[in-house]
Amino acid sequence: MAKPKRGASRSKKSTHQSEAAGPSVQPRSQAARSQERARQTPHAQQERKRRVLAKGHPAMVDSIAGAVTVKNLDLYYVVASDAQIPLKGGHGFGLYFHDCRFLGGYEMTLGGLPPIVLASTAQKGYAALFELANPDLHCDGGRLIPKDELGIRWERILDAGRTCVREVLTIQNFGNESHGFPLALHFGAGFEDIFNVRGLVPKYLGRSERPVWREGRLHFAYHGADHVRRTATIVFSPAPDAMHKTTAEFRFDVPSGEKRTIAITIELKELPERPEAEQLNQHPTFIRDGFAGKVQADTEEWLEQHTKFDSDSLLLNSIMDRSLRDLAVLRSDFGNREYFAAGVPWFVALFGRDSLVVAHEMLAFQPEIAAQTLRLLASYQGRRTDRWREEQPGKILHELRVGELARAGNVPHARFYCTVDATPLFLLLLGRYVAWTGDLGLFRELQESVERALGWIAKAGDNHGEGYLKYRTISESGLVNQGWKDSADAIVRTDGSIARPPIALVEAQGYVFAAKHAVADLYECVGERGRAKELRGEAERLRTRFNHDFWCEDLGAFALALEARGRQVAVVSSNPGHALWTGIADHGKGRRTVLRLMQDDMFNGWGVRTLSSAERRYNPVGYHLGTVWPHDNALLAAGCRRYGEDDAALQIFTAIAEAAMHFRHHRLPEAMAGFQRKDFQVPVHYPVACHPQAWAAGAVPFMVTTCLGLEPDALAGKLRIVRPRLPDFVNRIALRGLRVGEASADLEFRRTADGAEVNIQKTSGQLSVEVGG
């Protein structure tokens, strides 16, 4: 995707947000795209597809910063803040299911005009509510219906169990006179694959049927290249007074003070047209096992299973509640195993890296999903060498898609392995999961997968024996960059040019270091001391090389990466913060790195930027070239704590929390623009950021865990609390039912002048709580 340009126009404030204006992406028109495709040769089209897919940008569409999003398992709705889905334009709004945008247009008009939005909410996650009003309307021969005399309540509820949306429109006449007016609903269904919507693949492979009306119902149908027939049927009660093309028109006469309602159900279906269509997709696409129907009912029950959080800060309480509810929304089911989908709308799928990181962030609050995520990813671990999918034996999956293009084999994402860091993160999560739960049984169950992952790490990209984990894309559709900053222009030199592969990222080496120590501890626990010693030796030799090769004295920090021939990519970036989290850095170099990352060119007041504003390629709205990501900052804050820089960790915590204050429902987005806080006094939206987004939702719970100093050792029946600290805007934090193995504790933390005191209110089971400075 072409990244957003610096200085692009900024969208106006939406009705529900602060004045944080975000530069918007300006897409080409559909006609211009069609003309360009017509001019291209088949070879040029293929090359463009390869280049675009290889860029890890989210989407090439208009801003969705003000979108209202709801989700229930794989069914999700993204609508504009005025409750509409525009019928035209390069936008990302729509009703989606299984990587397909079934409904891409849905507008309501009153007397030919759009309604006025007053308020909207999607607090519940699976439902949205809009309050609308009429503009001045001239109906019935020019008779005026004054503005705001008609109140319109629009309720939308997702039912993933039946793969449908249930909507109710209630129109109330607040005026003193009876009002007659027409209300029309306009629909558009293109059945675009998510890669089409994102602007990454321009070609449509299937065939649409002409929309038809039958018995008062509007039917859309599409025959996909994956031999699946997808349909959207729209049912109305009462039936429309007039039906033409894709518009339903109702005529209302509403006496003063009375109401009228319309119930709308949008039913989505996927039907295999050939037997092999079932086999193309291992996702339970066509068979619902009853799990989906329970999601709405069990959200509160799921939240009840978490460690309970409370504080004296209304802001922090709200952010924590929103974070946990967003993660409840982002739960998805695959083969009866739960995982956190990466984010709405672009990444509602299993992502190895994202799902592992957010499961790690949530270990202190809900560890069970980590076990399910690990089992699920182990079941898709690479078994063979497949250049198209970048699959290799032992490698952990990057992305799994179930849409038409993936199922038809037009993109490799039905099982895509183009990531360098998911494999060590898989091992690291397993180790940390056992530390919290004491569940050695999972390690024994996955031990074969563990050894395959270690085997892949030993070979990956290391042609010269340095022992570094490297990447170089081998697929024509593979990602140019394969770390968490996976856009093609993310890894840049000081002169602004792109680093040359093979590339060894600074954070990936830290992940390997921590993973080997974590797995060594597990082998020690099951009596395999020789294997444990071997892994620790490998980790410590990596640490020695790393601190020599990645340290850049001129920067006063670790380099972003090593590129071809072992040359440093010597720019100041946030990536070393992840390495600090893992503990690979020497103590002095770690502290110096923290100090460098907290300078003004990196810390913009809302968090630490992905790239220094002093670097040649800095762009405050570049996806990975100057934006601020909550999860990135959460891991950096943990790194600050590890190296004794507690004040820096608390400064980051406070900044991220204050940023959340300016977003709808206190929901942290995937990323924010990198502009200085003093310039606008509010965070500037990144135009196409996912919200909700999983590892952003997990960021504040993880910062709570790290700043309180929680260090579990479930196998020893211990919880160590090391140097607990609270940010300045919080005086008290209470955790109830914090689980360590089979035991639990209720703890209260109170801020003091030089730290925090801990009150151990209650423990259950065999648990020793130790508090240290």
Side-chain angles (χ1 to χ4, degrees), residues 31 37 75 350 420 526 567 599 606 677 708:
R37 289 198 297 271
L75 182 66
L350 175 64
V420 74
V526 298
R567 293 173 298 198
Q599 292 180 20
W606 302 115
R677 179 171 181 165
L708 294 183

Side-chain angles (χ1 to χ4, degrees), residues 116-170:
I116 300 167
V117 63
L118 303 176
S120 60
T121 182
Q123 285 269 25
K124 294 180 179 179
Y126 57 83
L129 174 64
F130 300 85
E131 287 289 349
L132 312 170
N134 65 292
D136 283 338
L137 296 177
H138 294 275
C139 303
D140 294 339
R143 182 182 176 188
L144 174 67
I145 302 177
K147 177 183 176 182
D148 298 334
E149 286 208 355
L150 299 177
I152 304 157
R153 171 167 287 211
W154 198 345
E155 299 171 89
R156 288 170 160 149
I157 299 175
L158 300 187
D159 183 350
R162 294 175 176 81
T163 322
C164 71
V165 183
R166 305 186 187 282
E167 304 188 351
V168 177
L169 274 170
T170 303

